[in-house]
Amino acid sequence: FRSQNEAEQLLLRAALQESASLDSALSRVANTRRGFEANFVGMTKETAELACDRLVARQQTCKVVGP
């Protein structure tokens, strides 16, 4: 994302859409060379995959990244 605010808005929208699978996850915005990344952390692999599948079904980009 181009701004931290954009990344935070995406995290909020995703958390509201997938509250069941993202309930215990922590949201983080990382400032990288390419812009701001929106991430959820602190989930098991299975929970992350479930949340990602559900977000993708809602036309949101999602990728599970390991530790």
Side-chain angles (χ1 to χ4, degrees), residues 24-37:
S24 64
L26 300 173
S27 59
R28 298 276 191 255
V29 174
N31 188 356
T32 69
R33 289 179 295 175
R34 298 180 308 173
F36 292 89
E37 291 182 1

Side-chain angles (χ1 to χ4, degrees), residues 43-58:
M43 297 179 283
T44 65
K45 180 181 178 186
E46 293 79 18
T47 303
E49 288 173 346
L50 175 63
C52 206
D53 289 344
R54 290 178 175 179
L55 290 169
V56 168
R58 290 187 169 113

Side-chain angles (χ1 to χ4, degrees), residues 3-45:
S3 74
Q4 182 172 350
N5 188 43
E6 282 182 271
E8 290 172 350
Q9 286 180 0
L10 174 85
L11 289 172
L12 181 58
R13 240 187 344 263
L16 290 172
Q17 289 177 341
E18 272 311 309
S19 61
S21 55
L22 294 172
D23 186 42
S24 64
L26 300 173
S27 59
R28 298 276 191 255
V29 174
N31 188 356
T32 69
R33 289 179 295 175
R34 298 180 308 173
F36 292 89
E37 291 182 1
N39 301 297
F40 286 100
V41 298
M43 297 179 283
T44 65
K45 180 181 178 186

